[in-house]
Amino acid sequence: MVRDSMAAAFRPSNRVLLQALQILVYPGVGGSGSVSCRCPLGAKRYLLTDNVVKLKEFQQKKVAVACNLSGTKETYFRNLKKKLTQNKLILKGELITLLHLCESRDHVELAKNVIYRYHAENKNFTLGEYKFGPLFVRLCYELDLEESAVELMKDQHLRGFFSDSTSFNILMDMLFIKGKYKSALQVLIEMKNQDVKFTKDTYVLAFAICYKLNSPESFKICTTLREEALLKGEILSRRASCFAVALALNQNEMAKAMSIFSQIMNPESIACINLNLAKVREKVKDVPALVAKFDEIYGTLHITGQVTTDSLDAVLCHTPRDRKSHTLLLNKRMVSRRTFQPLSQSLLAE
C-alpha cells in the first residue's frame, strides 16, 4: 500500500484538509453524528461505475450469442482460423460474434489475430464504424488479461482501432484495481499520444494513478494535465480535483494543494472553513499563546467529530455509486403508478 504521509504525520493542517476532502467525497459525512463509510476489508476499490464498465451487460450478451450460435464454438473458431490461413475477408459480424464467444487465453489469441486482419482491411473505413475497442477490453477485463489489452492498445499497427475514450478508461480502471499503476500511466500516455479525447472519467483515473504513484514525476504530470484541461475549458469533477489535492499534499506542496482546493469549494462551505483553520495554524505557529488557543479550538472540533483519522486512501479510493440508476428511480417516483399523474398532484387528489 502506498505510503500516506497525511495519515502518518497527521499534522493539524493536513488533518483538517483531509476532513474537507472526506466531506467532498462522502457528502454528509464528517460532522457530528457521522457514519463510518470505510470500504469492507478486502473489497475491491475501483474508480468507474458499473454503468461505464458494463461488464454484466457484456456477460449477458455472451450468453445470448452462444445460445443463438448455429453449430458449436469449436466449429466457429475452426472456420475463422481457416479464413485467416486462406486470406479471406473477415466480416464485422464475425468479429463481434468471436469476441462474445471467447472464454480462454487461447481464444483471445485467435481474436487478436482476427482483429489485426480486420483492422488492416477496414482501417480506412472508420466513419460510422462499430467500436470494437470497448468490447475487446471488456473481454480482457472478464478474463483478467489486461496485458493483452495493453499490448494491442500500444501497437502502432492498430492505430485507430481503440479510438474511443471508453476503451482506455476501462483498461486504466482494470490496471488500477490490480495496483499496476505504472502500466496504467503508460495507457494514459498512449491515450494522449493517440489524441483520444479525455472525459471526466479519464481525469479521475489520471489523477488517481498519479496520486498512487506519488512521485515528483507523477505530480508534474497531474499538474500539467490539470492546467491543460483548464485552458481547454474542461470541467473537472470534484473527485478528480480531490486526487490532485491529495497528491499535492503527499508531495508537500501545501500551497498548490490549497490553491486547487480553493477552486473546487464554495467559500462558505464547512470544508473551506476548516481549511482556513489550517491556514491560521501555519500563521500562528511561532506564537505559543496563539498556538495554544488554536489547539483548544481544534481539540473541540475533534471531539465533536469534525475531523477524522481515516486514511486519505480510504477516503478517495472507494466504490462510486451509479448516479444514473438513482436518477431513474427518482424519476419513476415522480409519477403516480395509479393515476400516471405527477406524484405531488396525485397525492393532493387522493
Side-chain angles (χ1 to χ4, degrees), residues 212-228:
K212 281 290 190 177
L213 288 171
N214 191 25
S215 66
E217 293 76 18
S218 69
F219 175 68
K220 183 177 180 179
I221 292 172
C222 179
T223 302
T224 301
L225 289 176
R226 183 176 175 277
E227 291 174 352
E228 289 180 355

Side-chain angles (χ1 to χ4, degrees), residues 46 48-52 320-327:
Y46 56 90
L48 297 182
T49 66
D50 292 335
N51 283 340
V52 176
R321 292 187 295 268
D322 283 320
R323 294 185 177 180
K324 183 177 179 181
S325 60
H326 291 292
T327 303

Side-chain angles (χ1 to χ4, degrees), residues 43-60:
K44 282 187 176 180
R45 292 174 178 171
Y46 56 90
L47 302 176
L48 297 182
T49 66
D50 292 335
N51 283 340
V52 176
V53 179
K54 295 184 178 179
L55 186 59
K56 292 181 180 178
E57 292 181 22
F58 171 68
Q59 292 171 331
Q60 291 170 353

Side-chain angles (χ1 to χ4, degrees), residues 92-123:
K92 178 177 71 175
E94 291 176 324
L95 178 53
I96 293 175
T97 300
L98 173 61
L99 293 175
H100 281 103
L101 292 177
C102 291
E103 295 181 336
S104 68
R105 183 180 292 272
D106 289 340
H107 293 166
V108 172
E109 287 301 314
L110 171 61
K112 288 161 62 175
N113 292 331
V114 175
I115 286 172
Y116 278 107
R117 173 66 62 80
Y118 181 86
H119 185 67
E121 295 168 347
N122 297 277
K123 61 183 177 181

Side-chain angles (χ1 to χ4, degrees), residues 17 21 240-250 257-258 260-261 264:
L17 185 50
L21 284 173
S241 296
C242 283
F243 277 111
V245 173
L247 175 58
L249 288 171
N250 283 343
M258 291 180 178
I260 298 173
F261 187 76
I264 60 175

Side-chain angles (χ1 to χ4, degrees), residues 102-168:
C102 291
E103 295 181 336
S104 68
R105 183 180 292 272
D106 289 340
H107 293 166
V108 172
E109 287 301 314
L110 171 61
K112 288 161 62 175
N113 292 331
V114 175
I115 286 172
Y116 278 107
R117 173 66 62 80
Y118 181 86
H119 185 67
E121 295 168 347
N122 297 277
K123 61 183 177 181
N124 295 323
F125 303 95
T126 57
L127 185 62
E129 188 57 45
Y130 183 88
K131 300 294 184 183
F132 286 98
L135 190 60
F136 179 73
V137 174
R138 288 183 179 111
L139 173 63
C140 293
Y141 201 109
E142 179 191 41
L143 299 178
D144 287 327
L145 295 175
E146 65 279 356
E147 68 277 2
S148 295
V150 174
E151 175 192 346
L152 264 64
M153 201 168 280
K154 294 172 64 176
D155 195 322
Q156 294 302 307
H157 294 94
L158 289 178
R159 193 71 178 255
F161 186 82
F162 300 95
S163 59
D164 58 286
S165 60
T166 302
S167 299
F168 289 89

Side-chain angles (χ1 to χ4, degrees), residues 6-39:
M6 284 184 67
F10 266 101
R11 295 186 298 272
S13 56
N14 284 356
R15 292 180 68 182
V16 173
L17 185 50
L18 172 55
Q19 169 62 11
L21 284 173
Q22 186 184 51
I23 294 173
L24 274 176
V25 180
Y26 292 136
V29 175
S32 57
S34 62
V35 181
S36 175
C37 289
R38 297 177 184 175
C39 296

Side-chain angles (χ1 to χ4, degrees), residues 278-304:
K279 291 181 178 178
V280 171
R281 181 64 172 81
E282 289 298 316
K283 290 182 178 180
V284 303
K285 63 181 180 181
D286 296 325
V287 185
L290 294 179
V291 170
K293 184 62 177 177
F294 174 88
D295 288 341
E296 178 184 346
I297 296 173
Y298 180 83
T300 301
L301 290 173
H302 185 275
I303 293 173
T304 57

